[in-house]
Every structure is written in structure tokens, then in C-alpha cells.
Amino acid sequence: MLTIKTKLPTKNLPIRRVIAKLFQSYIYTALDDREHRGYKHPNGKVFKSMNFKIAYIENEIHAKFVALDKENEKRLAEYMLYNSLKLGEIHLTNTSVGITERNSKINSPIKVAGFINANIKDGKHSKKKIDLEPKSDKFQEIIHQNTIEKYEALFGKKYSGELKIKLIEQKPRERIFHYSKGVIKAWFGVYKIEGDKDILRMILDTGMGANCMKGLGFVELVK
């Protein structure tokens, strides 16, 4: 896992609503085009093999980045060190970068927490989507299916192991995430997940649910 911390020259620059897209663009610039295109499942869905979360607090930016291919974490770290961090027109030189290993002792089940998004199409508006609460049955159905399909797309084979994703706790209020001009709702949840080591590692390294390369889906191990 790549951890990034940097300071802006002033507080509260008006980039909060676009920061996820700016950081996403920076990642794709640093890595191979293959990662931008993603990995297609036989059903046509495209999945990404990486994930990030980013927070903007006063004049500081804190970000975490993970990738299924650990070389991509190293590539992004090296690119950032040699070229500095650039978010749109903002060039940041006072940036610290660190790499930590969190997958070495994965044993099923794992307990993770994060803001996970799952949605369905609004029948009244073809382009509009309804974001679901984790406690809903439809959310749990979508998350399970999405995780299986991502495994099949990224590993190029069927998943034959067991997979159980159980919601333990959900915060009552949603959080609003911004990407480009869109708004995405997600609820913080704690999940117990059972599965083989590859799929558990995939969840930690690529996130869970929808919009994982838009600043959502990042999960962290909890006790």
C-alpha cells in the first residue's frame, strides 16, 4: 500500500469536488495505458486492478493507493518522487511517500471497513442511478456478484472458492463523494469476509463495489 501526504500552499483551495478525478488522472498518467483501459469480464463489464482513497483537510492532502500488481505501487511512488505530485494546475513538491505491506498475513475471515458503493438504475431516468444502503438485500447481492466478476476479469478464470460478505455495522448517515460533476452516496460499513487468499487479497488491493477508481471502495483491515 502506498501512503501519500502533501501540503498545499494555502488552506481550502476550491478543489474538493474535483480532487478524486485529478488524482485518478495523475495515476493513469504514471502507469501503463492497460490500467486505464481496465480488464473486461465476458459479460462486458470492465474492472480496474487498483484503488485509492483521498482526503483534503485544510491545507493537507492524504491519500492511499493500492494495486493488485505491486509493481504499479512502486511505479507510482517512483513517478511521484521524480516528477512530484501534480493535481491539475497545482504542482506539489513537498510530498512524502511510503510503501507498507498489509497482505502478508491474510487469513480467512478478514474484517474490513470503508465506504462501499453499490447502485441500481433508476427506472424513471435511464442515466440516473440510485445508491443503495449496505443493509439492503440488493446491495449485498450486487456486492457479492461484483466481487466474483472482478475476480474472473482480473485473474482470467472462474472463482471456485467460497465467498461470504457479511455486513456487521453500517453508519446511519451517508457521505457524499464528488467525481467530475457527479455526486455519489456511500455509507461507512464494517464487513466480515470469508474467501480464499486470492480473492481476499484482491479486495484489499482493488477495493470493493462500484466506483473504485473514483475514490470509493477502499477498505482497511480492522480488529
Side-chain angles (χ1 to χ4, degrees):
M1 179 173 67
L2 194 63
T3 57
I4 303 147
K5 184 178 179 181
T6 188
K7 286 188 176 181
L8 294 165
T10 184
K11 292 184 179 181
N12 297 319
L13 284 175
I15 61 169
R16 195 174 304 278
R17 295 193 175 198
V18 295
I19 193 169
K21 186 174 182 180
L22 294 176
F23 189 58
Q24 179 207 62
S25 297
Y26 181 84
I27 293 169
Y28 287 147
T29 299
L31 302 180
D32 189 273
D33 288 344
R34 178 74 174 96
E35 301 304 335
H36 190 182
R37 293 192 300 270
Y39 299 80
K40 186 177 287 189
H41 188 271
N43 65 13
K45 291 182 183 179
V46 176
F47 296 90
K48 302 299 175 69
S49 67
M50 56 190 71
N51 184 214
F52 73 89
K53 65 181 287 189
I54 189 164
Y56 178 28
I57 306 166
E58 293 189 338
N59 69 325
E60 291 189 348
I61 291 175
H62 298 257
K64 293 182 179 181
F65 170 79
V66 286
L68 193 62
D69 182 352
K70 292 302 158 188
E71 288 301 313
N72 280 329
E73 293 182 9
K74 294 178 183 177
R75 289 187 188 103
L76 182 60
E78 290 172 356
Y79 185 88
M80 199 172 297
L81 291 172
Y82 284 113
N83 300 280
S84 73
L85 176 59
K86 187 176 181 183
L87 298 176
E89 298 302 317
I90 304 172
H91 201 83
L92 300 161
T93 55
N94 186 18
T95 302
S96 64
V97 182
I99 295 179
T100 58
E101 171 58 57
R102 63 172 184 168
N103 296 357
S104 59
K105 296 180 180 180
I106 293 178
N107 291 303
S108 183
I110 59 172
K111 191 176 178 182
V112 300
F115 287 92
I116 312 301
N117 175 254
N119 54 70
I120 56 174
K121 289 184 178 180
D122 186 342
K124 298 178 182 178
H125 307 278
S126 59
K127 292 185 178 181
K128 187 178 180 181
K129 293 182 178 180
I130 300 172
D131 298 311
L132 303 171
E133 291 193 48
K135 63 184 180 182
S136 70
D137 291 340
K138 191 63 178 177
F139 177 100
Q140 293 167 41
E141 175 189 329
I142 290 173
I143 289 297
H144 187 276
Q145 185 64 26
N146 178 275
T147 303
I148 295 290
E149 290 173 348
K150 180 187 279 190
Y151 177 94
E152 293 172 350
L154 298 185
F155 287 88
K157 61 181 180 181
K158 291 286 186 181
Y159 181 68
S160 58
E162 179 184 50
L163 177 64
K164 293 181 180 179
I165 304 173
K166 180 182 179 181
L167 176 69
I168 298 173
E169 176 188 354
Q170 175 198 315
K171 295 294 184 183
R173 295 194 64 178
E174 75 274 19
R175 177 176 165 186
I176 301 298
F177 290 80
H178 297 275
Y179 179 81
S180 191
K181 295 181 181 180
V183 171
I184 306 167
K185 294 180 183 178
W187 286 258
F188 184 86
V190 179
Y191 303 84
K192 178 182 176 182
I193 308 176
E194 297 179 50
D196 70 24
K197 287 189 176 182
D198 279 344
I199 204 163
L200 296 180
R201 180 169 62 90
M202 183 198 76
I203 290 169
L204 290 172
D205 287 340
T206 69
M208 194 161 66
N211 300 303
C212 285
M213 276 303 284
K214 295 181 180 179
L216 291 101
F218 195 100
V219 294
E220 301 196 66
L221 292 165
V222 294
K223 293 182 179 179

